[in-house]
Amino acid sequence: HNDGISNGWTVVPPMANGNYQRSNNSTAILNEGGNEVENLAQHYTRIRDEMRSIICSSIPELNGSDVQVFMESCKREMDFRNDTRLAKHALDKAVKLDTSPEVIAQLKENLKLAEDGLKQAEAVSFSSAMPLLDALDSDEVIGRGGALDDVFVSFKVLHDAQPDRLAKWSDNGKNKARKFLVDQLLGDLPLMRDMLLNGGAKDGNYGDAMLILKTSAHAAEQRSRIFYCLALGTSLEHSSPMYYFDTSTYIRPVERYLEYEKAYLNEELDPLFENMSAWECRWITNSDAPNDQAAWMRRMLGNYRPDLVLSSNYDWRYCQIVRTDVRYKVPEWTSRPKTYQQLISGGGKCGPRAWFGRFATRSFGIPSWGIRQPGHAAMTHWTPHGWCLCLGGQSRENLWGGWHTSWWGKRN
């Protein structure tokens, strides 16, 4: 049973055939005779491809009728999804052209029928997938905790990191400190698993994630679980550089970690912060507010509206400040770069108000995720009873609000 890449460049069978060792300058892989056989990028690529072959050759044969039912249900779902998209487009176009109420009413009915059909088709697709997923999950080789579990973990990290990029990150091994971090990562299966289970390194930047993690978490594992989760979540999310609000200045990930560590030790954060997972910590420390503005928010709200800090209604704890103090109007920015404090006096429409709500919750250690709806911006955030939507349209039929579509990030 392979345990990943360890002991320098030694690869444990069945990951590779033959014994390979590291050259003196760490830029090439040598065989036992001392001859160069591949460079670092080729080495990573070969190992990734061998792991892919092992995984693909180990996939069990699935029940043919179950596969057919699943494929047919997926096609039906895609047909309804396309019908819904066309019906929505037709309705939007009719509204813009100020079409007669009768035609619009019919188009709304068409959209409702398409959405109802899509909802039913999605349920069928889900139920038809379960026999296949159960068969894969229970397989003793590729199933959960199976013989190839470690291979899946190592393959996923190498695949997302991309062999060429990973080799380039350490200057093809010439940067010994960086290459040592890559060696550590690829030889540490529990850490790779932790990273994957918490969303993976942003944009596959596992080298930078390791650099941030090792710099910020020097003592986290020995002190408390929350410090490790905070360090891991910060390293994964900030492995792709982020900028402070309205600036071209990079957020320093280690400083961000230390700021939240200090705030936690000073009891400035929400009491439930200590229970957050690394994945949830990602959506706390990814705030684009400078650390001093986050500290201002905690002081200001504690002095000005302590009732919002102590509210038992977690749906609106902290972010209720938007409703009471950020006027809905065209924003007035009084200086550059813009700051979150300016929204208290300058106001803003849906976008700036959602920004301020996310800023408030994250400042107190509550994960927040933005959400967009057609012509509108809102926010979602963590609560003890699940994530909730704030500042957006809501309805019982749609968990994410009254609009037919809600999304965040790239829309596809």
Side-chain angles (χ1 to χ4, degrees), residues 34 43 77-78 106 116 125 154 158 209-210 218 223 244 255 273 313 316 356 358 367 391:
H43 180 65
E77 179 185 336
M78 292 304 298
Q106 182 59 56
D116 290 344
S125 293
S154 299
L158 264 179
M210 276 295 287
H218 51 279
R223 296 168 60 198
Y244 288 117
E255 289 183 4
F273 170 77
N313 181 2
W316 288 100
F356 198 83
R358 298 198 292 270
L391 305 173

Side-chain angles (χ1 to χ4, degrees), residues 380-395:
T380 60
H381 69 86
W382 181 96
T383 75
H385 53 268
W387 286 66
C388 73
L389 169 70
C390 291
L391 305 173
Q394 302 189 42
S395 71

Side-chain angles (χ1 to χ4, degrees), residues 84 88 111 115-116 118-119 122 371-374 380 387-390 392-407:
T84 301
K88 180 68 168 62
L111 177 59
E115 289 179 331
D116 290 344
L118 176 59
K119 186 180 296 185
E122 288 174 337
I371 192 168
R372 297 178 183 177
Q373 297 168 322
T380 60
W387 286 66
C388 73
L389 169 70
C390 291
Q394 302 189 42
S395 71
R396 291 184 178 181
E397 292 75 22
N398 186 344
L399 174 64
W400 297 112
W403 280 267
H404 296 292
T405 307
S406 298
W407 73 93

Side-chain angles (χ1 to χ4, degrees), residues 286-306:
N286 71 340
S287 171
D288 63 355
N291 294 333
D292 63 325
Q293 292 185 35
W296 168 84
M297 167 58 76
R298 293 191 291 270
R299 291 193 308 272
M300 181 274 291
L301 209 59
N303 291 325
Y304 173 55
R305 292 298 304 271

